[in-house]
Amino acid sequence: IQQISLSKKNLKIKIVCGIDISCIPNFNITILKLLGICLIVGTMIGSGIFISPKAVLEGTGAVGPCLCVWAACGVLATMGALCYAELGTMIMKSGGEYPYLMEGFGPLLAYLYSWSTIIVLKPSSFAIIALSCAEYASTPFYPGCTPPQVVTKCLAAACILIITVINCLSVKLAYRVQNFFTAAKLLIIFIIVISGIVLLAQGNTQNLKDPFAGATTSFGAIGLAFYNGLWAYDGWNQLNFITEELKNPYRNLPLAIIIGIPLVTVCYIFVNIAYFSVMTPTELLQSPAVAVTFGDRVLYPLSWIVPLFVVFSTFGAANGSCFTAGRLTHVAGREGHMVRIMSYISVKRYTPSPALMFNGIVSIIYIMPADINTLINYFSFAQWAFYGLTCLALIVMRFTRKELQRPVKVPIVIPVLVVIVSCYLVLAPIIDKPEWEYLYCTMFIVGGLLLYVPFIYYKFNWTRCIMRPLTMHLQLLLEVVPPEKSE
């Protein structure tokens, strides 16, 4: 990780989310002030709003409860982000949940988080977005039917491969790709919302007149609906991965949360209302790609722009997921909780090539056996377990680490509510309808202990004898070196 010193105002800037901002022309202090809001909005608006509406409606059964779940997901994301704002201004370390779990519960739980995130959560997130990108890219070529799974999965694998290569080749190229596709996703959201407002003004409100009619929900179905809704909001915690690089975090961290998440919530609710202005709940559930169906009915003969821009949006989200995947891997490798080679940087390209390659390979593996909804449940089950533990760490440190300064201090009822909701989101679907993916996820998390004990806790000499020559050969093959330590 490089550190650049600017002569004017003696300002020091580090690489932000893998972007070497020294190579961006006309970079100024105004961009730094807006970085927090842009990061939250840019990472939250991705593929979820084009995938999750169908799954949320399936779990709620009617338009009214569906919209309530979308609003409740926004409120829950805001409360969780406020808890993270206190943690981020109290413990000024990058790495997301990793340093908070380390300070609150010790190295074992922090290791299990890094193990689960690097092996399961980040690659599965990448795979989910790539699958959605492939689904929308292939749907126009199969009118009236669902694209074959082999086509979708091959396109998703190609998407992962292309994005991984881009991020390995150049940080500047990856930044430009992200910049272009972020503008595309905002444009398609704007088009859908404006079209929905026009349709409602013309009197297309029949699907919204009795919104709670036919609602059939259960204890576990609501939990699965929240899983899919919260997947669309995922990214509210990404600002904590760059706490060390954020300018004036005491002010900008909570400010970005207060502005960014409600803005995304309003956009999501209006997009769903736009969907219901042209589709009945039954038609929405039968649609293989909701946004494509919306475009066919509203924007014909220009309906082709919807799948095109949705592909742009999901491709950009996938690029962002890959772009930040090496962040936690670098921190965990620096702390000795992951293989050292994962934290190394390319000599020629100045990119975290080993971490990016590893993330891409595991993501392709996750594409093979699962569909999108299964991966979302798989992702959310583990992720919300760690969200709850992180907010529990905040409560614990209120009593055990009273000496720490808290520039931002939220009422304790907020982390308590987040912990309670997290427990519900983790347990409700399992109790209502047990599935194998929950067992697999638990086995992944607990299985990390098999590596923690010999490699980290006891540090057996024979493991070093194996890893030292392996690391050396991988260094020569990939042309990577350990990153310079920043002050």
Side-chain angles (χ1 to χ4, degrees), residues 118 328-340 342-343:
I118 294 169
L328 176 62
T329 306
H330 168 78
V331 176
R334 184 181 62 192
E335 297 292 332
H337 282 181
M338 281 292 156
V339 180
R340 293 284 183 181
M342 293 295 178
S343 64

Side-chain angles (χ1 to χ4, degrees), residues 161-175 322-323 346-353 356-357:
L161 182 61
I162 292 171
I163 291 173
T164 302
V165 170
I166 289 173
N167 282 267
C168 288
L169 286 178
S170 170
V171 171
K172 191 173 183 178
L173 176 61
Y175 169 77
C322 180
F323 202 67
S346 172
V347 175
K348 296 181 179 179
R349 305 292 181 180
Y350 307 107
T351 58
S353 301
L356 293 168
M357 292 177 185

Side-chain angles (χ1 to χ4, degrees), residues 47 65 104 119 132 136 156 241 263 274 301 331 379 406 439 451 467 481 485:
S47 62
I119 303 298
S132 63
Y136 272 91
F241 282 84
L263 176 63
V331 176
F379 174 83
R406 293 171 171 83
L439 178 61
L451 297 176
M467 291 306 302
V481 294
K485 294 182 180 180

Side-chain angles (χ1 to χ4, degrees), residues 24 154 162 167 170 202 233 240 254 259 273 352 381 416 424 459 468 472:
I24 305 174
C154 287
I162 292 171
N167 282 267
S170 170
Q202 293 175 348
Y233 284 93
N240 292 74
I259 296 176
I273 293 174
F381 166 76
V416 170
Y424 167 74
K459 297 181 180 179
R468 188 174 290 118
M472 182 186 68

Side-chain angles (χ1 to χ4, degrees), residues 362-376:
V362 178
S363 299
I364 292 176
I365 294 173
Y366 278 123
I367 283 175
M368 298 177 183
D371 60 11
I372 293 177
N373 288 331
T374 302
L375 280 175
I376 290 175

Side-chain angles (χ1 to χ4, degrees), residues 42-305:
T43 54
M44 287 178 68
I45 299 178
S47 62
I49 189 59
F50 309 114
I51 305 171
S52 300
K54 186 163 61 173
V56 174
L57 180 61
E58 186 177 356
T60 55
V63 175
C66 177
L67 296 178
C68 290
V69 167
W70 280 101
C73 288
V75 174
L76 181 59
T78 303
M79 291 194 301
L82 289 173
C83 296
Y84 276 53
E86 177 176 336
L87 288 166
T89 53
M90 179 177 63
I91 302 172
M92 297 292 296
K93 294 181 180 179
S94 297
E97 290 86 352
Y98 183 83
Y100 313 143
L101 294 173
M102 180 78 79
E103 294 288 338
F105 299 114
L108 177 59
L109 194 57
Y111 166 79
L112 290 178
Y113 165 75
S114 64
W115 156 262
S116 304
T117 303
I118 294 169
I119 303 298
V120 179
L121 301 183
K122 281 293 186 182
S124 66
S125 174
F126 194 8
I128 291 167
I129 302 172
L131 280 169
S132 63
C133 179
E135 184 174 300
Y136 272 91
S138 56
T139 296
F141 297 97
Y142 296 89
C145 63
T146 303
Q149 281 197 358
V150 62
V151 173
T152 302
K153 292 182 178 181
C154 287
L155 284 176
C159 175
I160 291 175
L161 182 61
I162 292 171
I163 291 173
T164 302
V165 170
I166 289 173
N167 282 267
C168 288
L169 286 178
S170 170
V171 171
K172 191 173 183 178
L173 176 61
Y175 169 77
R176 287 177 175 175
V177 169
Q178 185 68 19
N179 192 38
F180 173 79
F181 288 106
T182 298
K185 77 174 69 174
L186 293 175
L187 179 59
I188 190 60
I189 290 288
F190 178 78
I191 291 173
I192 292 175
V193 169
I194 294 299
S195 301
I197 293 174
V198 171
L199 289 169
L200 291 175
Q202 293 175 348
N204 294 283
T205 59
Q206 59 274 14
N207 297 326
L208 302 172
K209 289 182 179 179
D210 193 5
F212 291 90
T216 55
T217 58
S218 65
F219 184 76
I222 289 292
L224 289 175
F226 269 94
Y227 270 4
N228 289 276
L230 289 168
W231 161 246
Y233 284 93
D234 190 65
W236 53 264
N237 64 327
Q238 294 303 302
L239 209 56
N240 292 74
F241 282 84
I242 62 163
T243 304
E244 296 174 13
E245 290 80 18
L246 186 64
K247 178 178 175 59
N248 192 10
Y250 304 123
R251 175 181 180 273
N252 291 334
L253 188 60
L255 184 63
I257 291 167
I258 293 171
I259 296 176
I261 299 179
L263 176 63
V264 174
T265 303
V266 171
C267 288
Y268 282 178
I269 293 174
F270 273 101
V271 167
N272 278 275
I273 293 174
Y275 290 154
F276 288 119
S277 68
V278 295
M279 285 180 278
T280 64
T282 302
E283 290 172 337
L284 192 144
L285 290 174
Q286 293 175 348
S287 172
V290 179
V292 172
T293 303
F294 178 88
D296 290 338
R297 297 190 179 186
V298 177
L299 302 175
Y300 186 83
L302 299 177
S303 57
W304 56 269
I305 68 173

